[in-house]
Short mmCIF file of all heavy atoms in Angstrom, two decimals:
data_model
loop_
_atom_site.label_atom_id
_atom_site.label_comp_id
_atom_site.label_asym_id
_atom_site.label_seq_id
_atom_site.Cartn_x
_atom_site.Cartn_y
_atom_site.Cartn_z
N VAL A 1 5.92 2.98 4.74
CA VAL A 1 4.62 2.37 4.64
C VAL A 1 4.65 1.26 3.48
O VAL A 1 5.51 1.38 2.60
CB VAL A 1 3.45 3.32 4.28
CG1 VAL A 1 3.35 4.31 5.48
CG2 VAL A 1 3.80 4.07 3.03
N TYR A 2 3.89 0.25 3.64
CA TYR A 2 3.86 -0.91 2.74
C TYR A 2 2.50 -0.77 1.98
O TYR A 2 1.46 -0.70 2.58
CB TYR A 2 3.84 -2.19 3.58
CG TYR A 2 3.98 -3.46 2.78
CD1 TYR A 2 5.12 -4.22 2.87
CD2 TYR A 2 2.96 -3.95 1.96
CE1 TYR A 2 5.17 -5.51 2.24
CE2 TYR A 2 3.01 -5.08 1.25
CZ TYR A 2 4.20 -5.98 1.48
OH TYR A 2 4.34 -7.04 0.77
N CYS A 3 2.68 -0.76 0.66
CA CYS A 3 1.54 -0.65 -0.31
C CYS A 3 1.42 -1.74 -1.24
O CYS A 3 2.45 -2.12 -2.05
CB CYS A 3 1.63 0.71 -1.04
SG CYS A 3 0.31 0.98 -2.13
N SER A 4 0.29 -2.49 -1.22
CA SER A 4 0.09 -3.59 -2.17
C SER A 4 -1.34 -3.87 -2.16
O SER A 4 -2.17 -3.25 -1.49
CB SER A 4 0.82 -4.84 -1.83
OG SER A 4 0.24 -5.52 -0.74
N ARG A 5 -1.77 -4.79 -3.06
CA ARG A 5 -3.12 -5.32 -3.01
C ARG A 5 -3.48 -5.92 -1.63
O ARG A 5 -2.59 -6.57 -1.11
CB ARG A 5 -3.44 -6.22 -4.16
CG ARG A 5 -3.25 -5.61 -5.61
CD ARG A 5 -3.48 -6.67 -6.55
NE ARG A 5 -2.49 -7.72 -6.60
CZ ARG A 5 -2.58 -8.98 -6.78
NH1 ARG A 5 -3.87 -9.51 -7.09
NH2 ARG A 5 -1.65 -9.83 -6.70
N ASP A 6 -4.67 -5.82 -1.21
CA ASP A 6 -5.10 -6.52 0.06
C ASP A 6 -5.18 -7.93 -0.18
O ASP A 6 -5.49 -8.46 -1.24
CB ASP A 6 -6.32 -5.89 0.52
CG ASP A 6 -6.50 -5.99 2.07
OD1 ASP A 6 -5.69 -6.63 2.76
OD2 ASP A 6 -7.33 -5.35 2.63
N GLY A 7 -5.00 -8.72 0.93
CA GLY A 7 -5.12 -10.18 0.89
C GLY A 7 -4.45 -10.83 2.05
O GLY A 7 -4.34 -10.20 3.20
N GLN A 8 -3.82 -11.95 1.77
CA GLN A 8 -3.14 -12.68 2.82
C GLN A 8 -1.99 -11.94 3.42
O GLN A 8 -1.71 -12.13 4.66
CB GLN A 8 -2.48 -14.05 2.10
CG GLN A 8 -1.81 -14.88 3.02
CD GLN A 8 -1.00 -16.01 2.31
OE1 GLN A 8 -0.02 -15.61 1.65
NE2 GLN A 8 -1.56 -17.17 2.09
N ILE A 9 -1.47 -11.00 2.71
CA ILE A 9 -0.37 -10.24 3.24
C ILE A 9 -0.66 -9.47 4.51
O ILE A 9 0.21 -9.18 5.30
CB ILE A 9 0.14 -9.23 2.20
CG1 ILE A 9 1.49 -8.52 2.60
CG2 ILE A 9 -0.89 -8.24 1.76
CD1 ILE A 9 2.59 -9.36 2.79
N ARG A 10 -1.88 -9.09 4.74
CA ARG A 10 -2.34 -8.20 5.82
C ARG A 10 -1.92 -8.90 7.16
O ARG A 10 -1.42 -8.25 8.08
CB ARG A 10 -3.77 -7.94 5.70
CG ARG A 10 -4.32 -7.05 6.88
CD ARG A 10 -5.84 -6.72 6.70
NE ARG A 10 -6.16 -5.92 5.67
CZ ARG A 10 -6.26 -4.55 5.79
NH1 ARG A 10 -5.98 -3.96 7.01
NH2 ARG A 10 -6.63 -3.85 4.78
N GLU A 11 -2.28 -10.20 7.24
CA GLU A 11 -1.94 -10.94 8.45
C GLU A 11 -0.32 -10.82 8.82
O GLU A 11 -0.04 -10.60 9.96
CB GLU A 11 -2.24 -12.37 8.36
CG GLU A 11 -1.96 -13.29 9.57
CD GLU A 11 -2.22 -14.72 9.38
OE1 GLU A 11 -2.95 -14.99 8.40
OE2 GLU A 11 -1.87 -15.46 10.24
N ALA A 12 0.52 -11.03 7.85
CA ALA A 12 1.91 -10.99 8.16
C ALA A 12 2.37 -9.59 8.45
O ALA A 12 3.25 -9.37 9.30
CB ALA A 12 2.74 -11.40 6.81
N LEU A 13 1.76 -8.51 7.90
CA LEU A 13 2.17 -7.17 8.16
C LEU A 13 1.66 -6.75 9.54
O LEU A 13 2.35 -6.09 10.31
CB LEU A 13 1.52 -6.22 7.12
CG LEU A 13 2.07 -6.42 5.70
CD1 LEU A 13 1.37 -5.42 4.72
CD2 LEU A 13 3.51 -6.20 5.63
N ASP A 14 0.39 -7.19 9.97
CA ASP A 14 -0.05 -7.00 11.26
C ASP A 14 0.87 -7.52 12.35
O ASP A 14 1.14 -6.90 13.35
CB ASP A 14 -1.52 -7.51 11.42
CG ASP A 14 -2.54 -6.67 10.66
OD1 ASP A 14 -2.12 -5.53 10.25
OD2 ASP A 14 -3.70 -7.14 10.44
N GLU A 15 1.26 -8.76 12.03
CA GLU A 15 2.13 -9.44 12.97
C GLU A 15 3.43 -8.72 13.26
O GLU A 15 4.01 -8.77 14.30
CB GLU A 15 2.39 -10.88 12.54
CG GLU A 15 1.27 -11.88 12.71
CD GLU A 15 1.61 -13.22 12.29
OE1 GLU A 15 2.75 -13.53 11.99
OE2 GLU A 15 0.80 -14.15 12.35
N ARG A 16 3.96 -8.07 12.20
CA ARG A 16 5.17 -7.40 12.26
C ARG A 16 5.15 -5.95 12.57
O ARG A 16 6.16 -5.21 12.51
CB ARG A 16 5.97 -7.61 10.90
CG ARG A 16 6.37 -9.12 10.75
CD ARG A 16 6.64 -9.44 9.33
NE ARG A 16 7.23 -10.85 9.11
CZ ARG A 16 6.42 -11.82 9.10
NH1 ARG A 16 5.11 -11.82 9.28
NH2 ARG A 16 6.95 -13.05 9.00
N GLY A 17 3.85 -5.37 12.68
CA GLY A 17 3.82 -4.08 13.06
C GLY A 17 4.11 -3.07 11.85
O GLY A 17 4.57 -1.94 12.13
N VAL A 18 3.87 -3.56 10.72
CA VAL A 18 4.21 -2.71 9.51
C VAL A 18 2.84 -1.99 8.98
O VAL A 18 1.83 -2.65 8.83
CB VAL A 18 4.69 -3.63 8.35
CG1 VAL A 18 4.88 -2.79 7.06
CG2 VAL A 18 5.92 -4.28 8.76
N THR A 19 3.01 -0.69 8.82
CA THR A 19 1.80 0.09 8.36
C THR A 19 1.44 -0.28 6.92
O THR A 19 2.30 -0.26 6.01
CB THR A 19 2.25 1.59 8.37
OG1 THR A 19 2.49 1.96 9.75
CG2 THR A 19 1.02 2.47 7.93
N PHE A 20 0.26 -0.66 6.74
CA PHE A 20 -0.30 -1.20 5.42
C PHE A 20 -1.19 -0.15 4.77
O PHE A 20 -2.10 0.23 5.40
CB PHE A 20 -0.87 -2.51 5.66
CG PHE A 20 -1.45 -3.16 4.38
CD1 PHE A 20 -0.61 -3.07 3.21
CD2 PHE A 20 -2.65 -3.83 4.43
CE1 PHE A 20 -1.09 -3.77 2.06
CE2 PHE A 20 -3.07 -4.48 3.22
CZ PHE A 20 -2.35 -4.46 2.10
N VAL A 21 -0.93 0.24 3.52
CA VAL A 21 -1.84 0.99 2.69
C VAL A 21 -2.26 0.14 1.55
O VAL A 21 -1.52 -0.08 0.61
CB VAL A 21 -1.10 2.28 2.26
CG1 VAL A 21 -2.09 3.10 1.36
CG2 VAL A 21 -0.59 3.11 3.40
N PRO A 22 -3.46 -0.33 1.60
CA PRO A 22 -3.93 -1.33 0.64
C PRO A 22 -4.38 -0.55 -0.76
O PRO A 22 -4.91 0.56 -0.60
CB PRO A 22 -5.19 -2.08 1.19
CG PRO A 22 -5.61 -1.14 2.16
CD PRO A 22 -4.48 -0.31 2.71
N ILE A 23 -4.28 -1.20 -1.84
CA ILE A 23 -4.87 -0.78 -3.15
C ILE A 23 -5.70 -1.79 -3.75
O ILE A 23 -5.53 -3.03 -3.45
CB ILE A 23 -3.76 -0.31 -4.12
CG1 ILE A 23 -2.67 -1.54 -4.28
CG2 ILE A 23 -2.98 0.94 -3.68
CD1 ILE A 23 -1.61 -1.21 -5.30
N LYS A 24 -6.65 -1.38 -4.47
CA LYS A 24 -7.59 -2.41 -5.10
C LYS A 24 -6.92 -3.18 -6.21
O LYS A 24 -7.30 -4.34 -6.32
CB LYS A 24 -8.87 -1.64 -5.65
CG LYS A 24 -9.71 -0.97 -4.65
CD LYS A 24 -10.86 -0.24 -5.27
CE LYS A 24 -11.67 0.54 -4.23
NZ LYS A 24 -12.83 1.23 -4.84
N LYS A 25 -6.03 -2.57 -6.90
CA LYS A 25 -5.27 -3.31 -7.94
C LYS A 25 -4.02 -2.45 -8.21
O LYS A 25 -3.90 -1.34 -7.83
CB LYS A 25 -6.00 -3.42 -9.28
CG LYS A 25 -6.48 -2.13 -9.92
CD LYS A 25 -7.44 -2.43 -11.06
CE LYS A 25 -7.83 -1.08 -11.70
NZ LYS A 25 -8.63 -1.35 -12.94
N THR A 26 -3.01 -3.11 -8.86
CA THR A 26 -1.75 -2.48 -9.11
C THR A 26 -1.92 -1.69 -10.37
O THR A 26 -1.63 -2.30 -11.46
CB THR A 26 -0.61 -3.50 -9.18
OG1 THR A 26 -0.71 -4.46 -8.15
CG2 THR A 26 0.70 -2.75 -9.19
N SER A 27 -2.48 -0.53 -10.25
CA SER A 27 -2.69 0.25 -11.50
C SER A 27 -2.12 1.71 -11.24
O SER A 27 -1.97 2.11 -10.10
CB SER A 27 -4.18 0.43 -11.78
OG SER A 27 -4.78 1.05 -10.66
N VAL A 28 -1.96 2.41 -12.25
CA VAL A 28 -1.37 3.74 -12.16
C VAL A 28 -2.45 4.67 -11.40
O VAL A 28 -1.88 5.42 -10.53
CB VAL A 28 -1.17 4.42 -13.56
CG1 VAL A 28 -0.81 5.81 -13.58
CG2 VAL A 28 -0.12 3.51 -14.44
N SER A 29 -3.69 4.49 -11.65
CA SER A 29 -4.63 5.38 -10.91
C SER A 29 -4.67 5.17 -9.45
O SER A 29 -4.70 6.06 -8.64
CB SER A 29 -6.05 5.23 -11.55
OG SER A 29 -6.50 3.81 -11.37
N GLU A 30 -4.52 3.89 -9.07
CA GLU A 30 -4.54 3.53 -7.64
C GLU A 30 -3.28 3.99 -6.96
O GLU A 30 -3.34 4.53 -5.89
CB GLU A 30 -4.66 2.01 -7.50
CG GLU A 30 -6.12 1.52 -7.43
CD GLU A 30 -6.81 2.01 -6.15
OE1 GLU A 30 -7.37 3.05 -6.10
OE2 GLU A 30 -6.74 1.17 -5.16
N VAL A 31 -2.18 3.85 -7.71
CA VAL A 31 -0.90 4.34 -7.07
C VAL A 31 -0.87 5.79 -7.03
O VAL A 31 -0.41 6.42 -6.02
CB VAL A 31 0.26 3.77 -7.93
CG1 VAL A 31 1.66 4.36 -7.44
CG2 VAL A 31 0.36 2.18 -7.76
N ARG A 32 -1.36 6.44 -8.02
CA ARG A 32 -1.44 7.92 -7.88
C ARG A 32 -2.33 8.38 -6.73
O ARG A 32 -2.09 9.35 -6.05
CB ARG A 32 -2.08 8.46 -9.21
CG ARG A 32 -0.95 8.54 -10.34
CD ARG A 32 -1.51 9.11 -11.62
NE ARG A 32 -0.49 9.21 -12.68
CZ ARG A 32 -0.76 9.24 -13.99
NH1 ARG A 32 -2.06 9.28 -14.45
NH2 ARG A 32 0.19 9.39 -14.80
N ARG A 33 -3.47 7.63 -6.51
CA ARG A 33 -4.34 8.01 -5.30
C ARG A 33 -3.50 7.84 -4.07
O ARG A 33 -3.61 8.72 -3.22
CB ARG A 33 -5.47 6.99 -5.31
CG ARG A 33 -6.45 7.22 -4.11
CD ARG A 33 -7.57 6.19 -4.05
NE ARG A 33 -7.10 4.82 -3.97
CZ ARG A 33 -6.69 4.26 -2.82
NH1 ARG A 33 -6.75 5.02 -1.67
NH2 ARG A 33 -6.35 3.10 -2.74
N VAL A 34 -2.74 6.77 -3.89
CA VAL A 34 -1.99 6.53 -2.72
C VAL A 34 -0.89 7.60 -2.57
O VAL A 34 -0.64 8.13 -1.50
CB VAL A 34 -1.38 5.15 -2.67
CG1 VAL A 34 -0.42 5.07 -1.62
CG2 VAL A 34 -2.48 4.17 -2.53
N ILE A 35 -0.27 8.01 -3.63
CA ILE A 35 0.72 9.03 -3.62
C ILE A 35 0.14 10.32 -3.02
O ILE A 35 0.70 11.04 -2.25
CB ILE A 35 1.40 9.21 -5.03
CG1 ILE A 35 2.27 8.00 -5.40
CG2 ILE A 35 2.14 10.50 -5.10
CD1 ILE A 35 2.79 7.99 -6.71
N LYS A 36 -0.98 10.59 -3.60
CA LYS A 36 -1.69 11.89 -3.25
C LYS A 36 -2.05 11.88 -1.72
O LYS A 36 -1.91 12.92 -1.00
CB LYS A 36 -2.93 12.10 -4.03
CG LYS A 36 -3.79 13.40 -3.78
CD LYS A 36 -4.93 13.53 -4.77
CE LYS A 36 -5.61 14.85 -4.48
NZ LYS A 36 -6.74 15.06 -5.42
N GLU A 37 -2.51 10.71 -1.17
CA GLU A 37 -2.78 10.54 0.18
C GLU A 37 -1.53 10.55 1.10
O GLU A 37 -1.52 11.20 2.12
CB GLU A 37 -3.67 9.38 0.44
CG GLU A 37 -5.01 9.41 -0.16
CD GLU A 37 -5.74 8.05 -0.07
OE1 GLU A 37 -5.06 7.11 0.55
OE2 GLU A 37 -6.87 7.88 -0.44
N GLN A 38 -0.57 9.83 0.82
CA GLN A 38 0.51 9.54 1.55
C GLN A 38 1.71 10.63 1.39
O GLN A 38 2.48 10.81 2.35
CB GLN A 38 1.13 8.09 1.33
CG GLN A 38 0.15 7.00 1.68
CD GLN A 38 -0.14 6.93 3.12
OE1 GLN A 38 0.71 7.06 3.98
NE2 GLN A 38 -1.36 6.68 3.44
N LYS A 39 1.84 11.17 0.29
CA LYS A 39 2.87 12.21 0.06
C LYS A 39 4.26 11.74 0.27
O LYS A 39 4.96 12.33 1.09
CB LYS A 39 2.52 13.49 0.79
CG LYS A 39 1.23 14.17 0.30
CD LYS A 39 0.96 15.38 1.25
CE LYS A 39 -0.19 16.14 0.66
NZ LYS A 39 -1.44 15.35 0.65
N PRO A 40 4.66 10.56 -0.35
CA PRO A 40 6.03 10.04 -0.07
C PRO A 40 7.08 10.84 -0.71
O PRO A 40 6.86 11.46 -1.65
CB PRO A 40 5.92 8.68 -0.66
CG PRO A 40 5.00 8.82 -1.74
CD PRO A 40 3.91 9.77 -1.25
N ASP A 41 8.27 10.85 -0.08
CA ASP A 41 9.42 11.49 -0.73
C ASP A 41 10.13 10.48 -1.58
O ASP A 41 10.80 10.93 -2.59
CB ASP A 41 10.41 11.87 0.43
CG ASP A 41 9.82 12.85 1.36
OD1 ASP A 41 9.55 13.95 1.00
OD2 ASP A 41 9.63 12.47 2.53
N ILE A 42 10.06 9.12 -1.39
CA ILE A 42 10.57 8.19 -2.22
C ILE A 42 9.59 7.00 -2.41
O ILE A 42 8.94 6.68 -1.42
CB ILE A 42 11.93 7.67 -1.60
CG1 ILE A 42 13.02 8.69 -1.36
CG2 ILE A 42 12.44 6.46 -2.29
CD1 ILE A 42 14.17 8.26 -0.63
N ILE A 43 9.57 6.54 -3.65
CA ILE A 43 8.86 5.23 -3.86
C ILE A 43 9.83 4.17 -4.11
O ILE A 43 10.72 4.24 -5.01
CB ILE A 43 7.85 5.37 -5.06
CG1 ILE A 43 6.89 6.37 -4.80
CG2 ILE A 43 7.27 3.93 -5.28
CD1 ILE A 43 5.85 6.56 -5.94
N HIS A 44 9.92 3.12 -3.27
CA HIS A 44 10.79 1.97 -3.33
C HIS A 44 9.94 0.86 -3.90
O HIS A 44 9.08 0.21 -3.13
CB HIS A 44 11.31 1.72 -1.99
CG HIS A 44 12.42 0.70 -2.01
ND1 HIS A 44 13.40 0.55 -1.03
CD2 HIS A 44 12.84 -0.33 -2.91
CE1 HIS A 44 14.28 -0.36 -1.25
NE2 HIS A 44 13.94 -1.00 -2.50
#
């Protein structure tokens, strides 16, 4: 899954069929929220 702030990137990801998980800002609290929801084995 692809995680970043929402914006122009969404169009490119939609075109390429990439699963998008948006965050409001690149912050520790937001990334922890996504980690809790997505439960990844690796963060790249």
Side-chain angles (χ1 to χ4, degrees):
V1 296
Y2 186 115
C3 179
S4 76
R5 294 176 298 144
D6 206 349
Q8 183 194 75
I9 186 65
R10 182 181 286 271
E11 178 185 349
L13 298 179
D14 286 345
E15 287 181 2
R16 291 161 176 80
V18 176
T19 301
F20 182 40
V21 179
I23 52 178
K24 294 178 181 178
K25 58 182 180 178
T26 313
S27 66
V28 174
S29 60
E30 273 289 89
V31 173
R32 282 177 176 164
R33 176 184 64 79
V34 170
I35 289 172
K36 185 176 181 180
E37 292 175 357
Q38 297 294 318
K39 297 178 173 57
D41 300 292
I42 296 172
I43 297 177
H44 190 157

